[in-house]
Amino acid sequence: MTLQQNTSPDSAPMSQIILTGDRPTGPLHLGHFVGSLRDRVTYQHQYRQFVMLADSQALTDNMDDLSKVHRNVLEVALDYLAVGIDPTKTTIFIQSQIPELTELTFYYLNLVTVARLERNPTVKAEIVLRGFERDIPAGFLTYPASQAADITAFKAGVVPVGEDQIPMIEQCNEIVRRFNRIVGRDILVEAKAFVPEVGRLPGIDGKAKMSKSLGNTINLGASADEIRAAVKNVYTDPLHLKVSDPGHIEGNVAFTYLDAFDTDKEGLAEMKAHYQRGGLGDSIVKKRLEGILQDLLAPIRARREEFAKDPAQVMKMLQEGTFKAREVAAATTDEVKKALGLSYF
């Protein structure tokens, strides 16, 4: 497949600029597809969209496994292309290759206190999740400033996030307001958090989050056999011991996935009613789910395999997207430096 990079004029108004992205720590999965990827395919026709491979941010808690981040830049890029993110409509770039983002982060760190960073609910939750206690990598703690740099560098007015990430956007906007107040004019743009209709997808084991580290995912590039095996292990209703028993829908991962992917809502409603009154086995529910996921992922897998035949071409696409993104980030950084009185020559 041939890839072409977007070379259209930078004409979209600020309110129509969108920034989104992922940490390249492993192949993407159904949770990413529901939470962001399929929306990005739509957004690229409505906004001037930037999609970032956040490799620098991924290092904040992966410095002991550098190869994981490096090798997954290509893997995630393949997932982007496979689901239909089009580099002629979306600028896909690598965070670490834009030094202006690091420069902006440094300036923004002067606009926020350590105490405020520690109070950020998202940061606090992630610290507990990773068991850092007080051994928090400084880069991890200061991530809100880094994210503010990412967002403001492209003057993004819209940032799609999960509900747990809303505090990050709020803190970004605090930095924006303080900067604009200090320099006496509106240089940076506040961003609006956009939460997708379908929230976080649980893991196949019933855990609240589908996570690569927990091994409870279904990857976008999963084979037919891998999909079949995963669906077989999908958590249902532990109290539904016999086919004749009434079953519960709430907390039943099989039905959660069907809600997310089954387009036959009338047929699904009938299946739910049957399950709840009893007389419908889990195997029937899982058979329906497997068929839907096989149909969904087969073309994605095929496109991924096709793009993977020419990794050099994919990397070239990333290089071109990064070059384009850097031009935008550099222009914003110049504005910031001038406003701070740091332009001398």
Side-chain angles (χ1 to χ4, degrees), residues 6 11-19 36 38-50 86 88-90 158 160 194:
N6 181 7
S11 58
M14 292 175 186
S15 62
Q16 292 183 318
I17 296 175
I18 192 167
L19 175 75
S36 59
R38 64 181 177 184
D39 286 334
R40 292 177 198 173
V41 176
T42 301
Y43 296 154
Q44 66 188 350
H45 302 291
Q46 302 171 343
Y47 299 88
R48 183 178 177 214
Q49 179 171 246
F50 292 88
D86 184 348
T88 68
K89 297 180 173 65
T90 293
V158 181
F194 176 74

Side-chain angles (χ1 to χ4, degrees), residues 115-157:
R116 176 65 183 92
L117 292 169
E118 290 180 329
R119 288 199 306 272
N120 186 301
T122 305
V123 174
K124 287 172 66 175
E126 293 293 334
I127 287 172
V128 172
L129 180 65
R130 287 165 171 76
F132 285 146
E133 297 184 355
R134 293 304 301 170
D135 294 323
I136 310 165
F140 190 90
L141 180 63
T142 59
Y143 175 53
S146 174
Q147 188 177 61
D150 298 333
I151 295 168
T152 60
F154 302 99
K155 298 192 175 178

Side-chain angles (χ1 to χ4, degrees), residues 10 18 40 112 118 134 147 157 204-205 225 230 240 292 330 341:
D10 300 341
I18 192 167
R40 292 177 198 173
V112 64
E118 290 180 329
R134 293 304 301 170
Q147 188 177 61
I204 62 172
D205 55 0
D225 287 343
H240 189 234
I292 289 169

Side-chain angles (χ1 to χ4, degrees), residues 211-268:
S211 168
K212 290 167 281 192
S213 61
L214 295 176
N216 61 359
T217 68
I218 300 177
N219 290 342
L220 297 179
S223 68
D225 287 343
E226 288 170 336
I227 295 168
R228 187 172 302 111
V231 172
K232 187 176 181 179
N233 291 321
V234 162
Y235 182 86
T236 54
D237 175 8
L239 301 178
H240 189 234
L241 302 178
K242 297 184 294 185
V243 172
S244 57
D245 290 339
H248 295 86
I249 302 299
E250 298 76 14
N252 189 320
V253 174
F255 281 105
T256 302
Y257 285 16
L258 285 169
D259 282 334
F261 300 110
D262 194 339
T263 58
D264 180 9
K265 299 305 179 185
E266 184 176 341
L268 177 57

Side-chain angles (χ1 to χ4, degrees), residues 240 243-247 269-280:
H240 189 234
V243 172
S244 57
D245 290 339
E270 292 175 0
M271 173 172 273
K272 285 181 176 180
H274 190 176
Y275 189 81
Q276 288 174 307
R277 68 175 178 265
L280 183 64

